[in-house]
Amino acid sequence: MDFEEYRPMLLGLAYRLLGSVWDAEDVVQEAWLRWEGTDKSAIREPRAFLVTVVSRLALDQLRSARVRREAYTGPWLPEPVMTAQAGPLDTAELRDTVAYATLFLMERLSPPERAVFVLREAFELPYDEIAEIVGVSVVNARQLHHRASVRLAEGRDRFQPSGEEHARLLVRFMEAASGGDLGALTELLHEDVVAYTDGGGRVKAALRPLEGRRKVSAFVGALLARYPFSKLRLLDVNGGPAIMVHSGGYDQLVVVDIRDGLIAGIYGVINPDKLTRIRAD
């Protein structure tokens, strides 16, 4: 068996567990080293073996990452990834679990909850295998999956728009913003909209989430007054539309989440360390 055959799938798994391409690549590279040092004749199912190794390495990494993220400057947002680099997206579940808003919501979960949810939802593993990977009983694995599903459902709209509708709303929002039309922009925002900007201490950004239509609209208006948006480019990121804009001397990737046909979540990634793999050409 060639390890490279499984690398895209393993990267997709590690990325869903960690929300970081850098960390996912480290985990998969460590899995490769372990694979190289293992007696292959003792491995009956290479895929299951590698999924187990990557999941356990990612769990260890996630536990330490949570401590770092708590000390992060401002909101921590997942590192976006070009859809073409996100690994296999053959099922609705694989696409949903790599969606940017879902990755963001998964930060609410404990590491075991996140691992069980991803392994069950995206990779359709049976509970007995998941229990062995995570180190819990089968009953506990089921409970963790249920808890994770309930917590994620609280933050998601059951009826997601099509990719075309999503892209149209995002483009309308960015065109209104770049044109300074705050009235049109405000009409696109959900009453309970929340905006997050991740500068990571590298770039000036809001240090706390902005909640509510009035605050978000006022923030965007004040931002545009100082740093107009330019060079709008529509990209395919995390299985959905995103827009790269240039503002204040920096590139920013903007992703939105939609609820009831309006923008309910705005995620602005400005930290340049998280945009190194996003190609806007």
Side-chain angles (χ1 to χ4, degrees), residues 82-159:
M82 300 297 290
T83 297
Q85 306 301 318
L89 296 175
D90 305 329
T91 66
E93 291 76 15
L94 279 168
R95 296 190 74 86
D96 181 58
T97 51
V98 85
Y100 199 81
T102 304
L103 282 174
F104 176 73
L105 287 172
M106 283 200 285
E107 288 295 310
R108 300 179 180 183
L109 306 179
S110 68
E113 285 173 343
R114 186 166 183 164
V116 169
F117 182 80
V118 168
L119 290 168
R120 181 65 178 174
E121 292 290 317
F123 295 88
E124 301 178 331
L125 265 61
Y127 281 112
D128 56 342
E129 289 185 27
I130 294 173
E132 185 176 350
I133 290 171
V134 180
V136 297
S137 68
V138 173
V139 170
N140 199 6
R142 290 181 182 275
Q143 291 172 338
L144 287 168
H145 179 259
H146 176 72
R147 277 209 304 269
S149 300
V150 169
R151 295 185 74 183
L152 292 180
E154 290 171 354
R156 294 193 294 181
D157 192 338
R158 285 178 57 202
F159 304 103

Side-chain angles (χ1 to χ4, degrees), residues 149-191:
S149 300
V150 169
R151 295 185 74 183
L152 292 180
E154 290 171 354
R156 294 193 294 181
D157 192 338
R158 285 178 57 202
F159 304 103
Q160 287 297 310
S162 68
E164 293 79 9
E165 292 170 324
H166 195 140
R168 276 199 300 271
L169 190 58
L170 175 59
V171 170
R172 283 172 61 199
F173 171 75
M174 294 309 300
E175 286 178 343
S178 60
D181 189 345
L182 291 185
L185 182 148
T186 302
E187 288 179 0
L188 299 173
L189 300 178
H190 194 282
E191 184 180 349

